[in-house]
Amino acid sequence: MGTTHGTCRNGLAKRLPPENGLDLRQVAFTQTEHVLLSLAKVVEQRDKHTAGHCERLAITSVALGLAMKLERTSLLALYLGGFLHDVGKVGIPDSILFKPGKLDDEEWEIMRAHPVRGEEICRPLVSLRCVLPIIRHHHERWDGTGYPDGLSATQTPLLARVLQVADIYDALTNPRPYKHAFSTARALEVLEEEVAKGWRDPDITGLFVRLHKRMLSKIADYHPGTSPNLASMQDSLTHLQEFLTH
């Protein structure tokens, strides 16, 4: 485990400029990584309700990571995880993905397989090794009742727990085929209710609730395009970093 983690960190560290900060304009993404990011966008754009979800999730996760004073390699992993976390949904039929009602048992099994499928899609790239735990484990629960592996508490990797909170909030505050958009206040209440149920990391969720107002005011200024725009996202991240680190 330690060797893999060290290799993972070293692989991402080589992609970053030597100075402090996370300047995404200076990160050299490979052609294969661009293809995967584009594939993730295709998955997102299949549903009008999820337009902009990846960009918002990437920014929010990195903002939360900055508040937690995570290292730059972790911030980059969160950024990439924001785009790639649901790439495994690429093979899910529209009849399941856009079903307005409750999924039956067979449909739910297909939906629950997307984290493992996403990990399989991204696994061949050594440079994404740090992102794989985010992709696989962003649907675990603090009490062990999540999926795919039923991990509990800190067994679930830290970065997966960080992205999970941002992912749930974004899903709550935007419409889906099976639900309307919740208000900010109601979404935060739901997050706190899920902490009380034992589903979410209480420390990370608590930090998100405390930071949400100013974080979201920055994120709301970002208007997503048809593909990841690293320069415009960097501007948003710079503003967030100034707020969260001072």
Side-chain angles (χ1 to χ4, degrees):
M1 179 69 72
T3 302
T4 299
H5 184 63
T7 302
C8 167
R9 290 178 55 189
N10 291 338
L12 281 184
K14 293 177 181 178
R15 320 292 296 285
L16 293 166
E19 64 272 12
N20 292 328
L22 179 65
D23 191 339
L24 298 175
R25 291 168 296 191
Q26 298 184 41
V27 176
F29 291 98
T30 68
Q31 184 176 3
T32 305
E33 287 166 344
H34 275 295
V35 169
L36 282 176
L37 290 170
S38 297
L39 178 62
K41 290 294 293 182
V42 168
V43 173
E44 177 187 73
Q45 291 170 5
R46 287 171 65 190
D47 183 1
K48 64 180 181 179
H49 296 100
T50 58
H53 172 66
C54 290
E55 289 92 339
R56 292 191 302 269
L57 183 53
I59 294 173
T60 306
S61 299
V62 171
L64 195 51
L66 285 167
M68 296 170 66
K69 303 186 186 304
L70 299 181
E71 60 188 4
R72 292 191 303 158
T73 52
S74 294
L75 298 178
L76 180 54
L78 284 170
Y79 169 77
L80 291 170
F83 283 97
L84 296 172
H85 69 293
D86 276 344
V87 71
K89 289 182 177 179
V90 66
I92 296 179
D94 288 354
S95 60
I96 295 177
L97 204 57
F98 306 139
K99 186 175 181 177
K102 184 178 179 180
L103 300 180
D104 63 32
D105 291 344
E106 183 178 354
E107 292 168 335
W108 184 232
E109 284 303 310
I110 293 173
M111 179 66 81
R112 282 165 56 100
H114 81 267
V116 174
R117 180 58 180 150
E119 181 191 38
E120 291 171 350
I121 291 171
C122 296
R123 184 183 296 138
L125 284 183
V126 175
S127 60
L128 293 180
R129 196 168 294 170
C130 278
V131 187
L132 297 183
I134 299 175
I135 297 171
R136 183 179 182 97
H137 297 300
H138 69 281
H139 283 295
E140 304 286 359
R141 288 179 175 173
W142 189 251
D143 64 0
T145 61
Y147 63 91
D149 298 314
L151 302 183
S152 62
T154 56
Q155 289 179 335
T156 300
L158 174 63
L159 299 187
R161 286 180 274 135
V162 171
L163 183 132
Q164 179 188 82
V165 173
D167 188 26
I168 293 169
Y169 178 84
D170 193 78
L172 290 171
T173 54
N174 287 276
R176 293 291 186 267
Y178 51 86
K179 61 171 277 296
H180 60 79
F182 288 10
S183 68
T184 295
R186 179 56 187 148
L188 293 174
E189 286 178 358
V190 171
L191 280 173
E192 292 178 322
E193 289 169 3
E194 293 195 351
V195 169
K197 291 177 181 178
W199 291 358
R200 311 300 168 208
D201 184 312
D203 293 333
I204 295 174
T205 306
L207 177 61
F208 180 85
V209 171
R210 293 194 299 273
L211 292 174
H212 83 279
K213 288 184 179 179
R214 294 186 184 180
M215 280 175 56
L216 294 174
S217 70
K218 299 293 185 182
I219 295 168
D221 292 337
Y222 175 67
H223 301 286
T226 57
S227 62
N229 186 322
L230 300 186
S232 62
M233 290 190 71
Q234 173 60 33
D235 291 338
S236 296
L237 290 173
T238 299
H239 294 152
L240 286 165
Q241 186 169 20
E242 290 174 353
F243 164 68
L244 292 171
T245 58
H246 291 83

